[in-house]
Amino acid sequence: MPDVQALVSDFVLKLRRRKIEGSHACAKQTAELLRQVVSHQRVPYTNQAAALIDAVKAVGEQLINANPVELAVGNIVRRILHIIREEDVSSTASALEGLGLSAGSDDDDSHVEHEDRHVGLSPAAVATAARSTLRAPSLHTLLEGIPDSATVPHVSSSGGDSEGRSKSDRSLRSRKLKHDVIEAINELISDIDTCHEQISEQAVEHIHHNEVILTLGRSRTVKEFLYAAKEKNRSFRVFVAEGAPRYQGHVLAKELAAKGLQTTVITDSAVFAMISRVNMVIVGAHAIMANGGVIVPVGLNMVALAAQKHAVPFVVVAGSHKLCPLYPHNPEVLLNELKSPSELLDFGEFSDCMDFGSRNGAPLLHVVNPAFDYVPSKLVSLFITDTGGHKPSYIYQLIADYYSADDIVVQRKTTSGN
Amino acid sequence: MALSAVIRTSEATTMMELEIELKRASDALKSSDLTSISLSAGCDLFMRYVTRTKALEYEDFDAAKTRLMERGEKFGELSLRARKTIAMLCQDFIFDGCTILVHGFSRVVLEVLKMAATNRKLFRVFCTEGRPDSTGIRLSNELAKLGIHSKLLIDSAVAYAMDEVDMVFFGADGVVESGGIINMMGTYQTALVAHSMNKPVYVAAECYKFARLYPLDQKDLAPALRPIDFGVKVPPGVEVETSARDYTPPQYLTLLFTDIGVLTPSVVSDELIKLYL
């Protein structure tokens, strides 16, 4: 355990010092760290899932607090909590199956029979019922909620009650749960790794011959997306807005030109002038919020508005680790990060007017350098994730698939408390 | 809920009889107030609830009946708890120093504001007068009791005041399948003004208000007529518009707060389809 603790605090420190940046890196490292946490967590015989969930939650809270702006961290924590819950449900279901079988073999085991009668359904049905409790609440589950909550305690008690079962059997089960969870986390990590490929597979469907694509700054997902279209022998042109103040657009333009793509670099302020010649805007995102709005690199809200004005489709490409189950209550303020002014101005030249010693202590010149923009969902035409293209209004469904409702609420409490 | 009482008193011996009896009771309830959408939606939901249980198999009728009774009571309880849940969900959206415009008197919205006040949030509430039922005056009365700073506006001052407003809160008589809401007269215009000034419009409604209606325009709903007192004598031969409800299309709503979570308007239709399909 101590080495895991050291790893966690190391990671927290890195997040706090902004050593790890970009949602992809964050997501991957979080998942890897949590895999360590899970594999080092000693699980008790009863209620192993709860123990795992507690452990992950404790670590997750630290990570989220370390840098609340990196939403990907929180997303991965929630994903893993969801994985544990799902694995727990499926393992209890399979255990029940075992119980049901043994009930058939030895009839004198009245307890098991009683249990079976109560449940009165096949284990698979129980599993689906329990799984539906994991889903976001809906009208449907609201109505079904009572039988669910009635059966679920039965299921968990079936684990505790069957004291007759040998301990080895149970420890086998617990090890199996942990094993399954680690398997699933591995899958998640590989999903994060391959999301670029899966997204770019769809490139040909969206980019057509002789089209003009506009993008701003540099996003790895966008780059791969454009590469993939090029590899399928689509000939198209790309306008790259340079993405001040970091000028990552220059890097992207260089890379695209190296691949043989017709590329044009424009300044950010020229976007509106050029947008009428553009067929589609393709950009990457920092995070996708639950209402379909997106947190993007600064400058993109302007691009989105220009695109709307000229009815140009505004397409966001993002891996599913960027899906965030939170609602932006006050996006401009809460989910932004102010970067160092040195990216904007040269300190040497401007140091006179930024001097704190002049006048009444406050400098006359202020420099604000926000990292992100919020683009409301109505400006986004389409999201392309690794599971396909989705309308902004469909995002809630994806979130319901990936996260369990309990985790959203718990995490929100902890984040708002900070 | 009255319907669960029906189950309890029912002498029916088969599920079929019980269902017919329930249907009759719910029809009677609905016909007692033709205009109340939430009533009929609640009845529909309850019926759905009952018919769903029936699908689960029970060997003997008595067990099924007691189960139904339990569920009926639970349903009533759920509807009461819903308001608290909604108020909890709203808290993140009310920030210190904000100004909230409320149109109509809704117990859910009142609960939301009450909880925000007990959480020591600092905010102002603008209440529209809400003619002809003077709902705004009722609401401001309640708010004054809670010590919440509030201000009354006449209904026509909504656009004038919208500049200062940070968010608009409505209750709802009914949430329809498109994700729009049916609510007190004036909701539509308030939402339009808010939309044109880029202010978020939030609706707080319990999910038993989800109704299987799909109004295409304003005239598409059963009008709830109210006598209107103009204060002066209306000359003979002059018609008076006495409808007291309007329909607000989903594109003017930002989010719906319900007891099943914070939803965008488009989710409502998905939920309804999931339930009734």
Side-chain angles (χ1 to χ4, degrees):
Chain A
M1 241 356 238
D3 49 329
V4 175
Q5 201 50 53
L7 278 175
V8 170
S9 43
D10 186 40
F11 189 59
V12 165
L13 211 65
K14 273 190 195 158
L15 277 175
R16 219 173 256 156
R17 293 188 179 154
R18 311 293 192 256
K19 284 241 174 83
I20 306 169
E21 278 193 332
S23 43
H24 184 259
C26 278
K28 204 175 149 195
Q29 294 192 29
T30 310
E32 274 163 3
L33 181 72
L34 287 177
R35 182 177 57 186
Q36 291 265 344
V37 170
V38 169
S39 63
H40 282 259
Q41 177 69 28
R42 220 174 281 138
V43 280
Y45 285 127
T46 51
N47 229 354
Q48 320 113 4
L52 281 183
I53 286 172
D54 282 345
V56 171
K57 250 185 202 163
V59 174
E61 212 174 304
Q62 290 178 44
L63 298 186
I64 292 172
N65 288 346
N67 186 359
V69 182
E70 280 298 355
L71 293 162
V73 174
N75 298 347
I76 294 301
V77 172
R78 294 187 186 98
R79 281 282 281 277
I80 287 174
L81 288 174
H82 182 63
I83 286 172
I84 297 173
R85 282 175 211 271
E86 277 215 325
E87 291 298 341
D88 182 39
V89 165
S90 63
S91 79
T92 40
S94 61
L96 254 173
E97 212 152 356
L99 281 177
L101 280 178
S102 66
S105 60
D106 39 55
D107 281 299
D108 57 343
D109 201 348
S110 60
H111 163 76
V112 176
E113 237 193 16
H114 169 77
E115 191 61 51
D116 257 4
R117 240 173 64 89
H118 246 288
V119 176
L121 297 161
S122 68
V126 175
T128 49
R131 195 160 293 146
S132 74
T133 57
L134 290 180
R135 287 278 141 76
S138 66
L139 268 182
H140 181 109
T141 50
L142 184 74
L143 297 197
E144 297 295 307
I146 293 115
D148 274 352
S149 52
T151 51
V152 169
H154 275 311
V155 173
S156 51
S157 73
S158 83
D161 282 353
S162 53
E163 218 59 72
R165 311 258 142 237
S166 63
K167 257 194 180 154
S168 64
D169 182 26
R170 286 241 233 111
S171 65
L172 197 86
R173 236 187 77 197
S174 79
R175 216 173 304 144
K176 192 175 168 299
L177 173 77
K178 214 164 113 174
H179 180 75
D180 285 348
V181 168
I182 290 171
E183 276 293 283
I185 295 176
N186 280 337
E187 216 167 277
L188 178 67
I189 293 174
S190 72
D191 269 358
I192 295 171
D193 277 334
T194 56
C195 76
H196 295 304
E197 282 113 75
Q198 283 182 340
I199 293 171
S200 36
E201 264 171 33
Q202 305 161 55
V204 209
E205 298 164 30
H206 297 281
I207 299 177
H208 306 290
H209 260 300
N210 294 327
E211 274 194 341
V212 180
I213 311 287
L214 183 132
T215 184
L216 182 141
R218 177 174 178 271
S219 147
R220 207 179 129 197
T221 327
V222 172
K223 189 182 79 181
E224 305 270 336
F225 196 76
L226 297 174
Y227 278 2
K230 175 70 188 166
E231 265 155 33
K232 295 271 161 59
N233 287 323
R234 288 281 147 87
S235 70
F236 54 97
R237 286 198 297 157
V238 184
F239 285 173
V240 182
E242 56 189 3
R246 291 185 153 196
Y247 303 112
Q248 292 285 312
H250 296 172
V251 183
L252 178 68
K254 209 170 169 187
E255 285 166 338
L256 291 179
K259 278 270 171 180
L261 266 166
Q262 182 75 51
T263 313
T264 313
V265 175
I266 57 173
T267 59
D268 292 347
S269 41
V271 165
F272 204 92
M274 306 301 269
I275 198 87
S276 57
R277 291 163 56 184
V278 171
N279 296 100
M280 182 158 52
V281 179
I282 301 179
V283 297
H286 174 68
I288 303 174
M289 308 308 285
N291 63 349
V294 269
I295 312 259
V296 286
V298 72
L300 273 172
N301 196 19
M302 169 192 83
V303 177
L305 286 167
Q308 187 202 34
K309 179 93 182 162
H310 286 266
V312 177
F314 186 84
V315 177
V316 175
V317 288
S320 56
H321 59 274
K322 293 184 181 177
L323 272 176
C324 179
L326 301 176
Y327 285 89
H329 314 118
N330 199 351
E332 289 83 3
V333 182
L334 283 178
L335 299 166
N336 217 331
E337 182 160 38
L338 295 176
K339 298 258 180 210
S340 151
S342 64
E343 287 174 347
L344 255 72
L345 296 178
D346 191 10
F347 276 135
E349 215 173 304
F350 286 90
S351 51
D352 292 347
C353 34
M354 286 164 87
D355 187 6
F356 276 83
S358 67
R359 299 248 293 205
N360 45 10
L364 291 172
L365 180 69
H366 279 273
V367 181
V368 177
N369 182 12
F372 301 114
D373 252 357
Y374 172 72
V375 176
S377 58
K378 64 179 178 195
L379 294 181
V380 180
S381 320
L382 186 71
F383 286 105
I384 301 178
T385 70
D386 32 357
T387 53
H390 303 290
K391 294 275 285 175
S393 59
Y394 189 71
I395 290 299
Y396 84 92
Q397 187 62 51
L398 290 181
I399 283 169
D401 286 348
Y402 285 133
Y403 303 101
S404 25
D406 307 351
D407 303 334
I408 299 169
V409 177
V410 168
Q411 292 296 337
R412 189 189 281 168
K413 254 183 212 152
T414 60
T415 45
S416 70
N418 117 59
Chain B
M1 288 289 245
L3 284 180
S4 54
V6 174
I7 305 180
R8 205 170 307 124
T9 53
S10 163
E11 301 280 304
T13 48
T14 64
M15 281 320 273
M16 216 47 203
E17 274 178 56
L18 186 64
E19 201 183 328
I20 292 166
E21 222 169 296
L22 264 179
K23 182 95 184 90
R24 209 175 300 138
S26 82
D27 282 345
L29 260 181
K30 279 190 209 172
S31 62
S32 69
D33 186 358
L34 280 175
T35 53
S36 168
I37 295 165
S38 53
L39 178 67
S40 67
C43 284
D44 279 346
L45 208 60
F46 186 87
M47 286 302 289
R48 190 68 195 169
Y49 194 52
V50 168
T51 43
R52 258 185 192 281
T53 352
K54 218 182 54 182
L56 303 172
E57 278 157 34
Y58 289 103
E59 297 93 58
D60 61 314
F61 175 73
D62 279 335
K65 194 172 150 187
T66 44
R67 188 62 180 279
L68 277 186
M69 243 136 70
E70 267 169 37
R71 295 190 68 168
E73 269 150 32
K74 204 90 175 199
F75 185 78
E77 200 181 296
L78 270 182
S79 333
L80 290 181
R81 204 155 22 121
R83 233 170 268 157
K84 277 266 184 294
T85 318
I86 294 169
M88 289 285 287
L89 285 173
C90 289
Q91 293 313 304
D92 280 344
F93 289 80
I94 296 174
F95 51 90
D96 269 332
C98 68
T99 305
I100 304 169
L101 179 80
V102 182
H103 181 74
F105 181 87
S106 150
R107 283 166 300 176
V108 195
V109 173
L110 187 62
E111 183 72 38
V112 169
L113 298 175
K114 203 190 279 178
M115 192 178 279
T118 48
N119 285 354
R120 305 246 180 91
K121 295 231 163 93
L122 294 169
F123 59 97
R124 271 195 308 172
V125 180
F126 286 1
C127 311
T128 56
E129 183 195 5
R131 290 248 291 155
D133 298 338
S134 324
T135 52
I137 294 163
R138 258 168 78 204
L139 182 67
S140 58
N141 243 331
E142 295 285 335
L143 292 179
K145 269 185 227 156
L146 295 168
I148 299 171
H149 183 91
S150 64
K151 186 176 178 181
L152 268 173
L153 311 168
I154 52 171
D155 291 329
S156 40
V158 166
Y160 170 82
M162 193 56 81
D163 216 18
E164 292 177 62
V165 170
D166 292 302
M167 64 189 78
V168 179
F169 257 99
F170 296 132
D173 276 354
V175 180
V176 297
E177 221 162 322
S178 61
I181 56 166
I182 294 172
N183 197 20
M184 199 190 111
M185 185 61 91
T187 303
Y188 184 29
Q189 69 190 26
T190 311
L192 275 175
V193 171
H195 183 76
S196 71
M197 296 205 184
N198 269 329
K199 308 287 182 188
V201 178
Y202 298 135
V203 176
E206 303 95 326
C207 64
Y208 64 76
K209 284 177 174 167
F210 287 16
R212 301 191 68 199
L213 299 168
Y214 204 114
L216 298 172
D217 58 22
Q218 300 298 329
K219 299 275 147 35
D220 214 9
L221 13 130
L225 302 179
R226 289 276 190 291
I228 294 175
D229 177 22
F230 279 97
V232 288
K233 199 168 151 35
V234 179
V238 173
E239 255 188 293
V240 174
E241 173 67 64
T242 51
S243 176
R245 269 197 324 225
D246 59 13
Y247 162 61
T248 310
Q251 65 263 36
Y252 303 115
L253 308 177
T254 315
L255 287 174
L256 293 140
F257 300 110
T258 71
D259 40 331
I260 54 175
V262 184
L263 314 175
T264 50
S266 60
V267 183
V268 174
S269 57
D270 284 5
E271 288 293 342
L272 280 167
I273 289 167
K274 247 193 270 169
L275 182 66
Y276 286 103
L277 207 66

